[in-house]
Amino acid sequence: MVRRVPCSRACFILANSIGKCQADLLDKMGHVKLQTQTGINAIEDGSGLCDAGYPNKTTVACMINAEIGAVLAVMRRNVRWGVHYMSDDDQLEHFLVQSLKVLRRQIFSWHNQWHVISPSLYLQPFLDVIQSDETGAPITGVALSSVYKILTLDVIDQNTVNVGDAMHLVVDAVTSCRFEVTDPGSEEVVLMKILQVLLACVKSKASMMLSNQHICTIVNTCFRIVHQAGTKSELLQRIARYTMHELVRCIFSHLQDINNTELALVNGSTTLKQGTGGLNNEHNSANRQLENGSLNSASDSQPLSACIAGTDSGSVSDVTATVVVEDAGIVSSGKETDLNELQLMNEPYGIPCMVEIFHFLCSLLNVVEHMGMSPRSNTIAFDEDVPLFALTLINSAIELGGPSFHRHPRLLYLIQDELFCNLMQFGLSMSPLVLSMACSIVLNLYHHLRTELKLQIEAFFSCIILRLAQSKYGASYQQQEVAMEALVDFCRQKTFMVEMYANFDCDITCSNVFEDIANLLSKSAFPVNTPLSSMHILALDGLIAVMQGMAERIGIGSLSSEQSPVNLEEYTPFWHEKCENFSDPKIWVPFVYRRKYFKKRLMIGADHFNRDTKKGLEFLQGTHLLPDKLDAPSVACFFRYTAGLDKNLIGDFLGNHDEFCIQVLHEFARTFDFKDMMLDTALRLFLETFRLPGESQKIQRVLEAFSERYYEQAPHILANKDAALLLSYSIIMLNTDQHNSQVKKKMTEEDFIRNNRRINGGNDLPREFLSELYHSICKNEIQTTPEQGSGFPEMTPSRWIYLLHKSKKSAPFIVSDSKAYLDFDMFSILSGPTIAAISVVFDNAENAEVYQTCMDGFLAVAKISAHYHVENILDDLVVSLCKFVTVFDPLSVEDSIIAFGDDTKARMATETVFTIANRYGDYIRTGWRNILDCILKFHKLGLLPARMASDAAEESELSTETEDGGKRNTNSLSLSRLPSVSTPKRSSGLMSRFSQLLYLGAEEPRSVPTKEQLAAQQCTLQTIQKCHIDSIFTESKFLQAESLLHLSKALTSAAGQPKKGNSASEDEDTSVFCLELLVAITLNNRDRIELLWQGVYEHISNIVQSTVMPCALVEKAVFGLLRICHRLLPYKENITDELLRSLQLVLKLDARVADAYYEQITHEVSHLMKANASHIRSHLGWRTITSLLSITARHLEAAEAGFDALLFIMSDRAHLLPANYVLCVDAAKQFAESRVGQVDRSVMALDLMAGSVSCLEKWTKDAKQATKEEEVAKMLQDIGDMWVRLIQGLKKLCLDQREEVRNHALLSLQNSLTGSVGINLPDSLWLQCFDQVIFSVLDELLEISQTHSQKDFRNIEGTLVLGLKLLCKVFLQLIQDLSQLAGFSKLWLAVLSRLEIYMKVKIRGRRSEKLQELVPELLKNILLVMKTGGVLVQSSSVDGSSLWELTWLHINNFAPSLQSAVFHEQDSEHLQHKQSEKVEGLGPDVCNSVSSNETAGKDDPGIG
């Protein structure tokens, strides 16, 4: 058998390859391994080798000589090539042997370098051997090896002389190789070496000298061997496929180096006419096949495999079968080839051969259905082998060509049409391998050419990926899994989902690919009544990949955080709006937002329309999506481009006889582009958009509109629109006839042709045209009841043709630049399903890796939610996560800790919850309640720091209350001064808890923990430490206001409502802990106390008022309130009163509770007041303080601290203010009245009261400096009121039962009255003072002396003496002013009356000697002063009512001798001298009033 490889032309045979799907080069084929220096990497890098050094001349000659010897040695084994003698003319050496020997003689005689020697000289003898049909397979194989070796010596490159001719000779010789087959093994060796040499040619440095024709010939030959290898050994199959794969890679790796687009256009557009009319004609044929309903190219020729039959040994055979398929890719149809085309094919290879090869690879996918199977075909499944092999080659070409396809329209069009059309078919393959490879190709195309494949990508997802990934469309589990894997791969591309949303979801005419993918992934991640599978996790990976992509875009930048809303005030024809610049985000982002708004509103309008046509249109008018006055074009666009409309309603509307409906119908038809479409294809597209009405008149109107539009755009052979109408009618009738089961007798082709005679303007239509229409309708029914809804339809031929037409007019593909332009809207759609899916998967998962994936997803969602301030989503996420923070309450503390440590899921959820709380707490709202529940769980187990809340407060305190030199203010409220709350024993600190677990108490013996238990405990502690729970509260000052408020409310809610009586210790422990945290965040947020105060106060108030017994909770509430006031008073003057008013809660404490804590409360109030006295300005604030201090006067333990605080206020007068004067006086009176403690405290209180007069005098001076008279009068009146309050307070104390207090009170009252001269009190007030205070005190003291025993009021006589001295001293000091008053006589008589009574009083049954002596003496002094001052002068009146007469009338009753003693006839100087001696005790003021030159004497001890 002789094999031959003919090389008639550079043509492909459109045939099927039968063999393995992967062409791996096995280790055993080492003899065909390529030299690394000629590998594809060198070609891809474009590194020129012409500068490299050539091998040594002698070395190369020796190598070639060795190859000659090897060939001759093999030839000599055959008798035919044996020794011949020169004498025998007929036995001369054969030409092949002779040429080899001649070459051997010459190679060592050549003097030039090898690159200047034509390679043909030393290659031709070997090529002759290869081409000879007289040589056997062993000889041919050795010759091929020799050629391969020479090609790989780096002797031949692009600079070698005549290298182009030499390379052409090699390709021609190898592709036309002929040899005699002796055994199958040797035949396969030769085929392998042929592949080896051809691949070496393409990888050679001189490969660029090969023409387009030779490249096509090489690929054609290799494919023939691939095809024939299906009946050969596994090794040959794999080598053949590997070689084919490498050829494609080498050829298309040059595509990126071809930059001349113009040349590529010329080359690509003129090359293929040597085939069946070129690619244009072939594409028309493909379109015709599509119209006939087949996605595969139809071929009626003999199946290729049937032409490849084995022949008997010894016969002559070609390497591959010479089979020609009629519609093969570039097989000649016998037409003359244009000289220009031949010239292009003979040029160095470039775009022309790449177009041929790529088209051929696509055509391999078209003949799958028309191929037979050889009985000796390999074990690879036939239904997946051929497409898989072709798809693999195509994928390699796209990988290497990459974006360079974009520069070459012919290649690009092959991808847009033929390749994608086939991908749409093989995407539905039952073979997972084929489906996977198709998806890989689309992924590569997306990366490199997505701007040119917008609608193709949409179709692939809608019709393939989204259909197969769902079980409801009948896909197998394997198909679902492959589709899901492909979808997730796309989702992992950072900008994929953004571009899907921008290009499709925001395009009115496209489907919502983003939403469909999101819905699919979220639903697929849910394990419904099934265990968790890889499919669920895969879908979840896709969702999380999308979320992580959004999270990574945060901070990269966007136009604005939120786009301004679209407001339509009137209708605009938005259907055909265009974006000015799709490359500028400032332009296209608002544009797509606007389009998305329209699309959303249209979806709502479609829903209204489907329920009620009229109301639906009215709704659209109301939203300005249709004009107020309906016009036909706008309604037609609504019907044409709005998804989800009920197609029955559209059909009824369009078929209506109403004039407006007819206008809409014709406008509707004008929205279609029927250019270059066959009539049946156009009709299919038209009828897919609505349901054709059943009434003949409606059908008539619809078809008239269609025919008019079709004839307008694609008349072809039709004479007029009536011909189009009649033919359309005929097609509809044929469709009904052929596909209606009730029609028994079907219309034949002849019947159809006969029915359409003379309809074309009186002439017949071409028979071939009608025949094509007939078969198209018979094979594929026109769906007059199209699919409803917006599901995932199958791709039909007519839909594909429409897609290609539509792609010419569609908006450009928007390429995202990895910025977050649309992420907010996308996140709004995706967040809810993602959180739910992650939660369900996390709940059902049992793998740590899946746990981590879920946590990464949660964190990504949290980050995005926080960035876009979507609080409700973040709350949902927190709620979902907190469900997994499980602590086993029924177990013991130790068991619960161990169980938590063993629960990886719970620990990871815990860490994630608190990571979110710490990072994104600003945007948590209701979720704080769930977080607090988790914190409380750990608190109950004693896993939190022992003083976590207190530490937070102290830290704030230390950081803000340090003074110069870093010293702490000694008056500040310290936690060390606060009583410690008796917390449960188990609520110990984190490390102490661990210690307890390690060293269990000896009192209750337990088993020693195992290593596993200790490890679990350690895990628990590490988890809690990682959570940084305390940071939530210590850093709460950085929380946004709303979040902080929700945190505060959550703490209040978690603490629960306080209950009357004793509550369970566990509940109280929780309430105490929450209260501590509440106080902590309040202290940490002093600058925002207004935000928190109301809630905090109400909570503490509820605790205080509902507690009837001392307990830790009320203790913490009271002292927490005091701490808040103490900390905030210096900084928040605007709410000082409110803070201080809150302290009145202390006054509402139950008596038992107050008794338990009042000493400590007083200390704290004292510290608070001392530290903040300067900040308390209002009367209200001081009233609260003094009220608290006043209560302590009756409390034995608290009195000292309370009086100390009062002493601080009143002693140095610095903090005594008009606002607190009366309050402090009242408080001092309380302490003076109190019998708790020593009398000294009461005496000191009296001193404080008396000393406060100086403040009144100072304020009077200050008041006089005021500018406004009204203000002066008001201030003086207020001072007078304060003075009255002081005097009245002292008056009461003058009646105290205790002698020391009573007597000191009288002295204090005397000092206060005599020291009030500078206060500038009105005379009327003094009269009131005498009447209501002085006289009242004297009268009441007198009454006490008469009614009470000595035991009750000890030494009352001394008190009476002091009272009289008080009366006389005050009267003498004020006599000059009082004498001017009209009521002076009455006042004077009242004084005389008291003196008389005291003179005559009996104490315990006898007159008082002290009073008997004191009264005349005091009265005499008064009279002398009155005489000297001219107040009392001798006068008379008719009725005897003069002051003189009344005075002596009264005095003579009890001291008749005084008149002569005071008013006797003596020398005035002697009299004045005597008077001065008598009144020495009245002091300087009185003496000065007697005489201006009178000197002051010492007070009389009896009066002073």
Side-chain angles (χ1 to χ4, degrees), residues 383 548 603 674 822 827 862 1117 1175 1198:
D383 61 345
Q548 288 176 333
M603 293 300 101
F674 295 139
L822 308 172
F827 182 69
H1175 303 291

Side-chain angles (χ1 to χ4, degrees), residues 928 931-936 939 944-953 1029-1034 1036 1044 1047-1048 1050-1052 1054-1055 1069-1085 1092 1096 1099 1116 1123-1124:
W928 282 122
I931 294 173
L932 279 175
D933 287 340
C934 298
I935 294 175
L936 291 175
H939 172 66
L944 299 180
R947 305 190 67 182
M948 182 178 73
S950 299
D951 288 344
I1029 297 175
D1030 55 327
S1031 298
I1032 295 174
F1033 305 98
T1034 57
S1036 61
L1044 179 63
L1047 175 58
S1048 173
L1051 283 167
T1052 304
D1069 184 30
T1070 298
S1071 299
V1072 168
F1073 183 67
C1074 291
L1075 179 61
E1076 288 180 329
L1077 295 177
L1078 185 62
V1079 172
I1081 65 169
T1082 304
L1083 296 179
N1084 285 334
N1085 289 274
L1092 299 174
V1096 174
H1099 182 60
K1116 283 293 182 183
R1123 291 183 64 213
I1124 291 172

Side-chain angles (χ1 to χ4, degrees), residues 1068-1132:
E1068 184 184 11
D1069 184 30
T1070 298
S1071 299
V1072 168
F1073 183 67
C1074 291
L1075 179 61
E1076 288 180 329
L1077 295 177
L1078 185 62
V1079 172
I1081 65 169
T1082 304
L1083 296 179
N1084 285 334
N1085 289 274
R1086 68 184 186 197
D1087 296 329
R1088 299 184 289 178
I1089 184 61
E1090 298 90 346
L1091 183 71
L1092 299 174
W1093 175 245
Q1094 189 62 35
V1096 174
Y1097 173 76
E1098 289 178 359
H1099 182 60
I1100 294 177
S1101 177
N1102 290 336
I1103 294 173
V1104 169
Q1105 297 185 44
S1106 63
T1107 306
V1108 295
M1109 293 295 291
C1111 63
L1113 180 60
V1114 70
E1115 183 181 3
K1116 283 293 182 183
V1118 171
F1119 291 106
L1121 181 62
L1122 287 167
R1123 291 183 64 213
I1124 291 172
C1125 292
H1126 172 69
R1127 280 278 294 105
L1128 299 182
L1129 281 175
Y1131 306 102
K1132 288 294 175 182

